[in-house]
Amino acid sequence: MPISGPGRFITIEGGEGAGKSTQLGLLAARLKLEVKNAGVVETREPNGPIRNLLVQGDRSWTPMAEALLHFAARAEHLEETVRPSLAEGLWVLCDRFADSTMAYQGYAQELGRDRVEALYEMVVGELKPDLTLILDIPVAIGLDRAMRRDITETRYERMGRAFHETLRTAFHDIAAREPERCVVIDANGPVETVHEAIWAAVKDRLNVE
Ligand SMILES: Nc1ncnc2c1ncn2[C@@H]1O[C@H](COP(=O)(O)OP(=O)(O)OP(=O)(O)O)[C@@H](O)[C@H]1O
Ligand SMILES: [Mg+2]
């Protein structure tokens, strides 16, 4: 039985421009409004000084080096933010987590599931998100949204159409393998509609009154 302490750990995953950051903010606000005494921590990965190495510029890492950078950032993020917050009983909402490493490095950069799973076991161990929301959107629409969002953090955005199609399939595969943890959310609609679908999933899966 995976233990994540008395707090709740929710991760939001999906391709570029799916609306993860937008929806994370809305979910945090909804939890504070509707769940009595809910303390909410909003965070994201990759985090810290390693982030810029991964999301900016056009440096080409080997897939293993790239996965290790993600897990190095994750190791710090887990110890500094995620585990202490869960232990305090907070709701931790994380914009991307290990499923992104699995999709991007494991599938799209062809490192393979086994290697990413081995790194997960070493770095994250028993901890698992209580719920993972996978925002699904056609690639072209997501990339179009992402282009409007940011002009510096574009390293992954620029990886080409086939790469992003593989990512989308990868997230579906990840969800199908762990249906008790993952919910695929149709993110191709108005912000409010997507938010309501997310809120329904959170209430259903995490027994929110
Ligand atoms: N449902 C929606 N419909 C239309 N536009 C949206 C929707 N959700 C988000 N957007 C807009 O699309 C852009 C990307 O959204 P957001 O930054 O939330 O996506 P993201 O998944 O976090 O992207 P990234 O992977 O690049 O971090 C933003 O400009 C945002 O305002
Ligand atoms: Mg974002």
Side-chain angles (χ1 to χ4, degrees):
M1 178 71 183
I3 304 297
S4 54
R8 305 296 187 88
F9 185 23
I10 300 178
T11 57
I12 303 193
E13 299 277 9
E16 308 293 316
K20 300 177 295 297
S21 305
T22 303
Q23 293 298 332
L24 186 136
L26 292 173
L27 177 57
R30 188 77 178 255
L31 283 166
K32 286 177 206 163
L33 197 69
E34 302 219 20
V35 181
K36 215 170 144 221
N37 300 325
V40 180
V41 175
E42 297 171 60
T43 188
R44 71 173 182 184
E45 290 199 352
N47 211 342
I50 295 171
R51 179 179 179 87
N52 291 349
L53 296 175
L54 291 160
V55 301
Q56 296 182 3
D58 52 10
R59 174 77 153 83
S60 174
W61 310 95
T62 67
M64 179 54 96
E66 192 153 338
L68 287 166
L69 286 170
H70 278 284
F71 272 103
R74 183 163 300 133
E76 297 244 313
H77 185 226
L78 282 165
E79 292 317 307
E80 289 172 1
T81 304
V82 178
R83 291 187 198 280
S85 301
L86 291 173
E88 272 183 58
L90 302 172
W91 292 70
V92 177
L93 311 186
C94 191
D95 187 340
R96 294 193 183 279
F97 189 61
D99 294 313
S100 281
T101 317
M102 180 59 88
Y104 283 66
Q105 281 69 52
Y107 287 71
Q109 296 181 332
E110 299 182 350
L111 184 61
R113 288 191 55 92
D114 291 354
R115 288 194 179 90
V116 178
E117 277 171 358
L119 291 171
Y120 189 101
E121 202 179 316
M122 205 175 344
V123 173
V124 188
E126 290 290 295
L127 179 69
K128 268 191 183 186
D130 296 294
L131 175 64
T132 296
L133 301 157
I134 295 183
L135 304 197
D136 181 56
I137 193 163
V139 168
I141 296 173
L143 288 176
D144 187 57
R145 282 187 192 171
M147 296 296 173
R148 280 182 276 138
R149 184 264 298 139
D150 197 304
I151 52 160
T152 51
E153 297 194 340
T154 57
R155 181 168 169 266
Y156 287 116
E157 269 159 50
R158 286 183 273 107
M159 285 188 176
R161 182 67 182 257
F163 181 87
H164 293 98
E165 293 290 355
T166 305
L167 282 181
R168 190 177 184 204
T169 311
F171 279 120
H172 279 285
D173 192 46
I174 290 165
R177 284 166 179 270
E178 288 184 77
E180 67 295 340
R181 173 172 69 85
C182 301
V183 178
V184 177
I185 303 283
D186 179 2
N188 187 18
V191 170
E192 262 312 307
T193 308
V194 179
H195 169 65
E196 289 303 328
I198 286 176
W199 182 241
V202 169
K203 284 207 295 191
D204 176 44
R205 294 296 185 103
L206 299 181
N207 298 318
V208 174
E209 292 298 308

